[in-house]
C-alpha cells in the first residue's frame, strides 16, 4: 500500500507556518487534554491539534476497520496494536481530509469547531502507556568518549560493543512528557579522593541527547524477530532526554550498570513521528566493522538523516545551543536493536519504548551530553549570559529538537523542554 500521505505536492487547507515541523506530510500521533477536560488521541498540522476521536465519531474514517472507541482513549496503545496497515490507512486518510482540494471538512464549520484546536489550548500528555523501557548505548563516538573518561584510551571500547547493541533495562514509571519539570535527585556518591560515600543532592545532573522508538506487539515469548521484519514492528519515534546523575552513576554502575542515576526521570517529546513519515529520510548507517553475526546483518538504508540539537536556557535567559548531532551517526540501527532485544526470546509489546543512547558525532560540538561536551567538567561551557556550565543548574531548562529536511519537505518532532528544579521537598 503506497504512503499517499507523504506526497510532497499536497497542501493543507489549514495554514502551516514556514519551517514548521508539522506540515501535512508529517501527521504524527499523540494524546492531548482539551480545556473541557476531554482526553483524546490526536494529530497535528501546523499549530493546530486535531481530535481524532471526534473525527471518527463524525464518520471521517468510514471504510477503515477500527474499533468504535479507537481514538477516544488516553493512550495510543490499542491503535499501535492494530499494526502497520492500519497506521498507514489512517495517516493516508487524515492527509486526504485536510488536503486543500477536499471540501468535506474544509467547508463544514460546525465540524471544524469540534475537531480542531489551537495547539496552545491543549495540554500534551504521554502518548503511550509505556510497559517496558530499554535504553541502548549505540553511538560509537559516545561509547568511546565514556570509555576514555571512565577507563583508559586503549580500552575505551569494550570488546563486546562492536558485536551487539549494548543496553540496560530502564524504568517506565518516571517517563514524562515535555513540559513536566524534573527534581534534582538525592543519591549516594563517592566524593573525589574519599573512601566513604555520602548521601545528598546529586552535584552533576546531565542530559543525554537521544531518540527513542515505540514498538507494536512483535512476538510471543521465546520467539525471535528476524532482522528483515524488525521495521514492521516499529510505530514511530520521539526525542528523548535521558536525564543522568553523573556522580551517582560513577559510584553505582559497576558491576550491573545504571540504576538510580537514571531512574529519577526520562523526558520524551509528545508527538510520535511515524516511520512512514520518516521514510523519505532513510540513509545508510555507518559501515560496521567487524561484520555483525548473521542474525544482525542487513543490506540497504536503515538509518535516518535526523538533525538533533540540545540547548540550555537559564532561568530568565535565552536558549544556548550546546550540541548539534545527527541520528545517522548511530552505529547500531533500530532494526538491529529490536532484533537483538528479542533474540533471547524477550517479549516485545505494543507501547514498549527503546532509547538510542546518547547520540554523539565525531567532533566536540556534536557530543550528546554535558559530560562529553565539558570533558568531565574540565572545560566548562560559557553561556550567552556570561555564566558557565559544567552540568545542568537548578532552574535551567534543557531543550531538545529533532528534524529532517530535504528540498521539498521538513518533518520534525517539535520541542522537548524540561526544567530542572531543586530536590523535592516533602510537604
Ligand atoms: Mn542513555
Amino acid at each position: 500500500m503506497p504512503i499517499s500521505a507523504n506526497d510532497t505536492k499536497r497542501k493543507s487547507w489549514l495554514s502551516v507556518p514556514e519551517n514548521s515541523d508539522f506540515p501535512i506530510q508529517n501527521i504524527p500521533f499523540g494524546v492531548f487534554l482539551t480545556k473541557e477536560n476531554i482526553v483524546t488521541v490526536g494529530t497535528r498540522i501546523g499549530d493546530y491539534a486535531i481530535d481524532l476521536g471526534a473525527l471518527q465519531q463524525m464518520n471521517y474514517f468510514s471504510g477503515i476497520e477500527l474499533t468504535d472507541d479507537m481514538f477516544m482513549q488516553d493512550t495510543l496503545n490499542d491503535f499501535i496494536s492494530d499494526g502497520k496497515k492500519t497506521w498507514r490507512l489512517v495517516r493516508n486518510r487524515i492527509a486526504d481530509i485536510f488536503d486543500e482540494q477536499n471540501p468535506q471538512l474544509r467547508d463544514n464549520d460546525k465540524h471544524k469547531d469540534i475537531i480542531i484546536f489551537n495547539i496552545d489550548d491543549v495540554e500534551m500528555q504521554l502518548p503511550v502507556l509505556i510497559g517496558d523501557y530499554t535504553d541502548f548505548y549505540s553511538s560509537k563516538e559516545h561509547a568511546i568518549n565514556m570509555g576514555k573518561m571512565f577507563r583508559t584510551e586503549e580500552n575505551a571500547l569494550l570488546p563486546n560493543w562492536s558485536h551487539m547493541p549494548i543496553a540496560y533495562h530502564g524504568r517506565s514509571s518516571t517517563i514524562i512528557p515535555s513540559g513536566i519539570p524534573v527534581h534534582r535527585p538525592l543519591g549516594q556518591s563517592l566524593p573525589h579522593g574519599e573512601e566513604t560515600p555520602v548521601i545528598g543532592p546529586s552535584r552533576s545532573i546531565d542530559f543525554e541527547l537521544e531518540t527513542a522508538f515505540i514498538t507494536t506487539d512483535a512476538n510471543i515469548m521465546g520467539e525471535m524477530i528476524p532482522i528483515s521484519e524488525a521495521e514492521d514492528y516499529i510505530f514511530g519515534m520521539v526525542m528523548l532526554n535521558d536525564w543522568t546523575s553523573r556522580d551517582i552513576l560513577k559510584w553505582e554502575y559497576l558491576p550491573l550498570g545504571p540504576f538510580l542515576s537514571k531512574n529519577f526521570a526520562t523526558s520524551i517529546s509528545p508527538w510520535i513521528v511515524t516511520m512512514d513519515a520518516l521514510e523519505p529520510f532513510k540513509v545508510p548507517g555507518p559501515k560496521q566493522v567487524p561484520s555483525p553475526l548473521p542474525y544482525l546483518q542487513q543490506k540497504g538504508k536503515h538509518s535516518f538523516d535526523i538533525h538533533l540539537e540540545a540547548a540550555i536556557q537559564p532561568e530568565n535567559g535565552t536558549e544556548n545551543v550546546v550540541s548539534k548531532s545527527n541520528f545517522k551517526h548511530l552505529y547500531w540501527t533500530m532494526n538491529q536493536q529490536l532484533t537483538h532485544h528479542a533474540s533471547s526470546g524477550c517479549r516485545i509489546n505494543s507501547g514498549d519504548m527503546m532509547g538510542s543512547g546518547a547520540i554523539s558525532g565525531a567532533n566536540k560540538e556534536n557530543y550528546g551530553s554535558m559530560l562529553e561536551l565539558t570533558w568531565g567538567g574540565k572545560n566548562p561551557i560559557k553561556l550567552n549570559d556570561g555564566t558557565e556550565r559544567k552540568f545542568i543548574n537548578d532552574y535551567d531548562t534543557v531543550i531538545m529538537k529533532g528534524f529532517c529536511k530535504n528540498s521539498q519537505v521538513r518533518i520534525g518532532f517539535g520541542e522537548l523542554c524540561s526544567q530542572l528544579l531543586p530536590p523535592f521537598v516533602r510537604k
Side-chain angles (χ1 to χ4, degrees), residues 133 135-136 168 208 210 240 242 244 262 357-358:
Y133 161 49
D135 196 23
F136 281 88
Y168 64 93
E208 288 193 348
E210 304 194 15
L240 183 148
D242 177 21
T244 302
K262 287 180 183 273

Side-chain angles (χ1 to χ4, degrees), residues 124-356:
M124 296 307 299
Q125 311 290 300
L126 210 56
V128 272
L129 179 67
I130 298 164
D132 272 308
Y133 161 49
T134 301
D135 196 23
F136 281 88
Y137 190 56
S138 288
S139 159
K140 191 172 188 175
E141 289 80 3
H142 173 68
I144 288 176
N145 286 340
M146 298 296 280
K148 280 181 182 169
M149 276 182 272
F150 284 85
R151 287 183 298 276
T152 58
E153 196 100 5
E154 303 77 57
N155 299 314
L157 210 55
L158 292 172
N160 57 7
W161 196 94
S162 306
H163 295 278
M164 59 185 174
I166 300 293
Y168 64 93
H169 279 119
R171 184 79 186 165
S172 51
S173 62
T174 26
I175 298 171
I176 46 175
S178 178
I180 307 285
V182 172
H183 286 281
R184 182 180 293 271
L186 299 187
Q188 265 200 40
S189 61
L190 187 67
H192 190 71
E194 303 283 322
E195 276 168 29
T196 323
V198 295
I199 175 95
S202 166
R203 282 162 288 112
S204 42
I205 296 296
D206 201 352
F207 63 77
E208 288 193 348
L209 176 58
E210 304 194 15
T211 62
F213 63 90
I214 314 283
T215 62
T216 184
D217 306 292
N219 61 349
I220 55 170
M221 188 171 162
E223 186 186 21
M224 278 190 68
I225 301 169
I227 186 108
S228 58
E229 290 172 21
E231 200 176 308
D232 292 342
Y233 300 114
I234 302 178
F235 174 62
M237 295 175 71
V238 292
M239 297 295 301
L240 183 148
N241 180 356
D242 177 21
W243 290 98
T244 302
S245 158
R246 296 297 172 194
D247 48 343
I248 299 175
L249 180 67
K250 195 174 178 185
W251 175 231
E252 76 172 3
Y253 87 103
L254 291 174
L256 285 184
F259 184 32
L260 308 179
S261 53
K262 287 180 183 273
N263 73 5
F264 62 96
T266 306
S267 302
I268 64 169
S269 56
W271 293 108
I272 305 178
V273 177
T274 63
M275 298 322 291
D276 273 359
L278 295 168
E279 176 73 26
F281 301 95
K282 275 188 166 170
V283 290
K287 196 170 162 38
Q288 297 186 318
V289 183
S291 179
L293 289 168
Y295 77 106
L296 291 176
Q297 285 175 12
Q298 51 184 356
K299 287 200 176 75
K301 298 175 177 175
H302 298 287
S303 189
F304 294 86
D305 185 5
I306 308 173
H307 300 273
L308 306 171
E309 191 178 293
I312 297 173
Q313 183 171 350
E315 200 185 17
N316 305 318
T318 55
E319 243 177 89
N320 298 257
V321 176
V322 292
S323 173
K324 283 187 181 222
S325 189
N326 193 302
F327 182 84
K328 69 183 177 191
H329 301 318
L330 204 66
Y331 187 87
W332 294 103
T333 67
M334 294 183 281
N335 297 344
Q336 289 174 322
Q337 291 170 339
L338 182 55
T339 289
H340 182 65
H341 201 309
S343 64
S344 62
C346 173
R347 187 170 159 188
I348 308 295
N349 291 311
S350 171
D352 286 354
M353 187 175 84
M354 299 183 191
S356 57

